[in-house]
Amino acid sequence: MRLESEFEACKMLIDGNESFILTTHIHPDADGLGSELALASYLLSRGKKVRILNHSATPQNCLFLDPHSRVLQFNPSRDAGLFEKAEVIFILDVNQLDRLGELKPFLIQSTAKKVCIDHHPDREDFAELCIIDEEAAATGEILYHLLGQLDQPSLSQEVATCLYTAIMTDTGSFRFPKTDGDLHRIVADLLDHGADPVSSYQDHYEQESLGSLRLLARAMGSITLTHGGAVASMVVTRGDFQETGTTEPDTHSFITKALMIRGVIVGLLLTETDDGVKISFRSKGDIPINKLAQEFGGNGHKNAAGARLQGETLDNILPILLQRVQQYIPT
Ligand SMILES: [Mn+2]
């Protein structure tokens, strides 16, 4: 099995320590949160002290993963001391320190051992132990194998739900390229342990507000096609947020709509933020759209990436982006 020696090293760290902090990226998703909660459940079953601390609050559509309210939003004045006492810090579904938000300086200063479990490429070198599998469809998939290697008694329904939802969301409901037979065998096992595909889907995806659908209508109204119909771009402005009573996380699934248009192989979503512009990149097939994201200081996977540009404006960045994307379009 891949990562066997890393799993063994992780087991020793768990066996030999008592207090743990778990964290994931800003704007956490079901993969980051599901992975945290699955690992926390195991650590708690071993009688360990565990805190899950994230920069951002848990979004509404992930609250069902956390029935015991174990995930806390980081509060420096309340939680700083925990970083001095913690022996091990797990960093899940992220491998760039900047993506930890307010936790970054506390994590750097902490003398705790850092363990990074992730499936994103281009990792930053900050952890004593890296359990990274870029071939994994989700961090939840790595956690499934890790828990299998630890002396996890049996997957509870709660943990099966966390890992199932992590994989469901990170595979775009089992249709992204890393969805293969092995992954479906994992999913089958999770269903056998009580994960429910009907309620997971409803609890996660059917939780939109009316405002977010009105925002989607605006974003779809903004779509323009360029590069002979190969590139679809969408724009969301701060005015759109204000007038629909929504915020940035409401845009999380919009970019997939751009790829629904026949002939489109690159989708771009530009979102005006409080301090600049966020760009979401999607591509089909062999187009390495994370390379384009890197040109704008961002990162991500081959077909899905993002970048945040502070101090930039939509009017300034859109023409530059449309010019740079040209080199990624096959002629
Ligand atoms: Mn993930």
Side-chain angles (χ1 to χ4, degrees):
M1 195 209 295
R2 288 197 296 262
L3 299 173
E4 196 155 355
S5 61
E6 286 89 347
F7 287 167
E8 199 49 45
C10 184
K11 186 175 188 308
M12 286 172 64
L13 271 179
I14 292 173
D15 288 345
N17 291 286
E18 292 307 316
S19 70
F20 297 79
I21 290 176
L22 279 51
T23 190
T24 185
H25 49 81
I26 53 173
H27 300 309
D29 56 13
D31 191 25
L33 289 157
S35 298
E36 289 180 319
L37 286 159
L39 182 57
S41 173
Y42 170 75
L43 294 170
L44 289 167
S45 78
R46 294 277 316 270
K48 308 288 183 183
K49 289 200 202 85
V50 183
R51 285 299 174 91
I52 306 177
L53 301 171
N54 295 334
H55 171 90
S56 324
T58 300
Q60 182 75 29
N61 65 357
C62 290
L63 287 174
F64 73 101
L65 299 173
D66 186 18
H68 311 291
S69 303
R70 287 180 179 148
V71 180
L72 301 177
Q73 188 172 12
F74 180 62
N75 173 340
S77 57
R78 182 194 64 198
D79 302 327
L82 292 169
F83 278 86
E84 288 159 27
K85 286 184 227 145
E87 294 164 300
V88 180
I89 303 175
F90 281 97
I91 299 102
L92 301 164
D93 197 40
V94 59
N95 59 34
Q96 303 276 329
L97 289 173
D98 278 344
R99 299 260 297 135
L100 298 178
E102 274 200 286
L103 280 78
K104 177 181 172 178
F106 295 91
L107 186 123
I108 291 173
Q109 281 166 26
S110 170
T111 56
K113 296 251 180 355
K114 286 108 188 166
V115 183
C116 180
I117 306 181
D118 189 31
H119 66 132
H120 293 90
D122 306 315
R123 72 162 179 258
E124 207 177 312
D125 199 15
F126 63 87
E128 279 81 11
L129 175 58
C130 290
I131 307 180
I132 309 263
D133 182 2
E134 291 182 31
E135 297 306 310
T139 300
E141 182 187 350
I142 306 174
L143 257 292
Y144 174 86
H145 291 301
L146 173 65
L147 295 180
Q149 184 118 337
L150 301 169
D151 51 355
Q152 167 88 342
S154 169
L155 284 175
S156 65
Q157 180 176 16
E158 206 175 297
V159 170
T161 299
C162 284
L163 297 181
Y164 174 85
T165 310
I167 293 170
M168 172 184 78
T169 50
D170 262 34
T171 58
S173 300
F174 314 107
R175 66 197 161 82
F176 290 165
K178 287 169 185 164
T179 309
D180 59 14
D182 286 338
L183 189 74
H184 273 290
R185 277 180 278 277
I186 293 172
V187 169
D189 190 38
L190 295 171
L191 297 184
D192 287 345
H193 283 88
D196 179 349
V198 178
S199 64
S200 276
Y201 186 91
Q202 289 175 348
D203 289 345
H204 186 74
Y205 288 117
E206 297 180 346
Q207 296 293 327
E208 302 292 344
S209 64
L210 176 60
S212 86
L213 286 194
R214 297 227 192 281
L215 185 70
L216 174 62
R218 288 175 179 230
M220 289 174 80
S222 79
I223 293 178
T224 51
L225 294 180
T226 55
H227 303 78
V231 177
S233 351
M234 313 165 92
V235 170
V236 174
T237 65
R238 290 173 69 173
D240 291 329
F241 287 126
Q242 279 156 15
E243 287 158 30
T244 55
T246 52
T247 55
E248 194 190 309
D250 287 296
T251 64
H252 67 97
S253 66
F254 289 8
I255 186 74
T256 58
K257 305 293 180 199
L259 293 177
M260 292 173 70
I261 304 165
R262 188 185 307 120
V264 167
I265 50 177
V266 170
L268 303 167
L269 168 63
L270 291 88
T271 306
E272 205 175 9
T273 62
D274 288 342
D275 60 353
V277 176
K278 176 190 165 190
I279 313 174
S280 300
F281 306 79
R282 292 292 184 277
S283 68
K284 290 185 182 174
D286 277 335
I287 300 171
I289 210 66
N290 54 343
K291 302 284 178 231
L292 177 61
Q294 282 164 11
E295 292 186 35
F296 292 88
N299 212 333
H301 302 284
K302 185 167 116 184
N303 294 124
R308 284 177 181 273
L309 293 90
Q310 283 181 354
E312 266 300 347
T313 63
L314 287 174
D315 289 343
N316 195 29
I317 206 68
L318 184 56
I320 301 171
L321 184 61
L322 291 178
Q323 191 226 321
R324 297 257 188 97
V325 73
Q326 176 67 51
Q327 59 185 308
Y328 296 88
I329 306 303
T331 45

